[in-house]
Amino acid sequence: MPRVELRSLVVGAITAILMFPANGASAVDTNIQSYICQKLDDFQANMTVVKVDERELGKISRDAVLLYRLKEVVMKYKEPNMVRIEGGLEGAKGVFIINGSQQTVSFPKMGIRSRRDFGDAPGKRKTLMDVGLVSEYYLTYNDAKFLREGSVEGTPCGVFDFTFKNHDAGDHSHQVIFIDPKTKVVRRREAYSLEGKLQAVYLFNDPKEIKPGVWFPSTIEATNADRKLAGVTAYRNVRVNMGIPDSVFKL
C-alpha cells in the first residue's frame, strides 16, 4: 500500500474515533429547552432529614437551618414560585410559605410569626430548581449558556452556566448546572457568589420516574464551600399534578 494512502487511512480512522465515542452515543444536546421538565405543574412529597450539621449548613443558609430542624415535613409546590412546608418543631406545628416574593413563617405555640418580602431579588425565589428540575418559569429570569458535556456518577450530562437576566444591573451570582438529558433531572448544582466564589454544591441522587416523563430525585445532598457535608434530605410519597389550589399557599 502506498505510504500516502496509508497515511490517509490512519488520519481518517483517528478523525472517526474523535467524532464518535466508543459506545456510539452522540454528544448531549446543547439547547437548554431540551432539558425542561414540561409535564410538572405541582407536586406534594414527604421530605425527611437524613443527616444535618447545623454549623456547616449555616454557612450556606441560616433559613435552611430552621427547616432542617423540622426533621420531617410535607412539602407542596406549585408553579410558579409557590411553596408550602408543614412540620413540627419541639411538639409545635408550624408552616413555612412562599408565595411570589412573600415569605411567611408561623409557629403559633412558640410565638413565632414573621413575614418577609424579597421584592425583585431573583436569588430568593423558590423554584423547581430547588428539587433538581428546570422549569419554563425559571428560564423567564435566567439565561443558560452551554459549557460542555460532563457526567455525574457515570451519567452523561449537559453542563450549563445559569445567570440572572439583566444581571449587570443587579445580581452577578451564577450557577453551574449538570443536567441528565434522559430524566431532565439536575444531578449537580454549583452555586457561586457575586465574587465568583463557590458557596455550595448540591447533588441530586437516584432519580425515580413518578409518572411517564416526570422524574424526581430520591435524595439531595448539600455541601458547603469548605467541602463539608451540611445536610441530606430524602423524598418519598411524591405525587405530581394534583391540581393543588392557590389557596393552599396563603395563610
Side-chain angles (χ1 to χ4, degrees), residues 103-172:
Q103 174 184 288
T104 303
V105 179
S106 178
F107 286 83
K109 290 186 178 180
M110 300 181 68
I112 298 175
R113 185 179 177 90
S114 67
R115 289 184 183 274
R116 297 170 65 185
D117 190 336
F118 295 118
D120 296 327
K124 298 295 185 179
R125 300 178 189 179
K126 297 298 180 183
T127 68
L128 287 177
M129 179 62 76
D130 294 306
V131 292
L133 298 170
V134 180
S135 67
E136 288 279 7
Y137 169 67
Y138 196 69
L139 295 179
T140 62
Y141 64 96
N142 276 276
D143 290 319
K145 177 185 178 182
F146 181 80
L147 297 178
R148 64 185 184 276
E149 180 176 356
S151 68
V152 177
E153 296 184 344
T155 299
C157 295
V159 184
F160 292 83
D161 184 64
F162 279 78
T163 55
F164 296 119
K165 293 181 183 294
N166 302 318
H167 64 276
D168 289 340
D171 196 329
H172 297 266

Side-chain angles (χ1 to χ4, degrees), residues 41 48 63 69 115 122 129-130 163 179 185 196 210-211 222 225:
D41 297 319
T48 304
D63 288 342
R69 286 179 181 173
R115 289 184 183 274
M129 179 62 76
D130 294 306
T163 55
I179 313 172
V185 172
I210 307 303
K211 281 188 175 182

Side-chain angles (χ1 to χ4, degrees), residues 24-200:
S26 60
V28 298
D29 200 324
T30 63
N31 188 347
I32 189 59
Q33 293 294 326
S34 300
Y35 295 83
I36 293 174
C37 181
Q38 299 182 352
K39 300 180 180 180
L40 182 56
D41 297 319
D42 61 51
F43 76 83
Q44 176 177 311
N46 292 88
M47 184 182 76
T48 304
V49 175
V50 177
K51 185 181 296 185
V52 63
D53 185 321
E54 291 191 4
R55 181 175 178 275
E56 301 300 339
L57 183 63
K59 296 176 182 179
I60 299 175
S61 169
R62 292 182 179 179
D63 288 342
V65 172
L66 175 59
L67 289 177
Y68 271 70
R69 286 179 181 173
L70 300 180
K71 300 301 181 184
E72 184 164 355
V73 301
V74 175
M75 180 178 183
K76 297 177 181 178
Y77 176 89
K78 184 175 182 178
E79 283 279 86
N81 201 28
M82 289 187 281
V83 180
R84 182 185 180 100
I85 298 175
E86 298 177 77
L89 179 63
E90 299 177 4
K93 292 184 178 180
V95 61
F96 174 96
I97 292 176
I98 287 184
N99 193 328
S101 64
Q102 301 287 328
Q103 174 184 288
T104 303
V105 179
S106 178
F107 286 83
K109 290 186 178 180
M110 300 181 68
I112 298 175
R113 185 179 177 90
S114 67
R115 289 184 183 274
R116 297 170 65 185
D117 190 336
F118 295 118
D120 296 327
K124 298 295 185 179
R125 300 178 189 179
K126 297 298 180 183
T127 68
L128 287 177
M129 179 62 76
D130 294 306
V131 292
L133 298 170
V134 180
S135 67
E136 288 279 7
Y137 169 67
Y138 196 69
L139 295 179
T140 62
Y141 64 96
N142 276 276
D143 290 319
K145 177 185 178 182
F146 181 80
L147 297 178
R148 64 185 184 276
E149 180 176 356
S151 68
V152 177
E153 296 184 344
T155 299
C157 295
V159 184
F160 292 83
D161 184 64
F162 279 78
T163 55
F164 296 119
K165 293 181 183 294
N166 302 318
H167 64 276
D168 289 340
D171 196 329
H172 297 266
S173 60
H174 71 107
Q175 302 179 84
V176 176
I177 312 293
F178 293 65
I179 313 172
D180 178 358
K182 176 184 176 182
T183 64
K184 317 299 184 188
V185 172
V186 173
R187 298 303 309 275
R188 178 184 176 94
R189 176 162 68 98
E190 302 172 1
Y192 292 86
S193 68
L194 297 174
E195 296 77 24
K197 295 182 179 180
L198 181 67
Q199 291 181 309

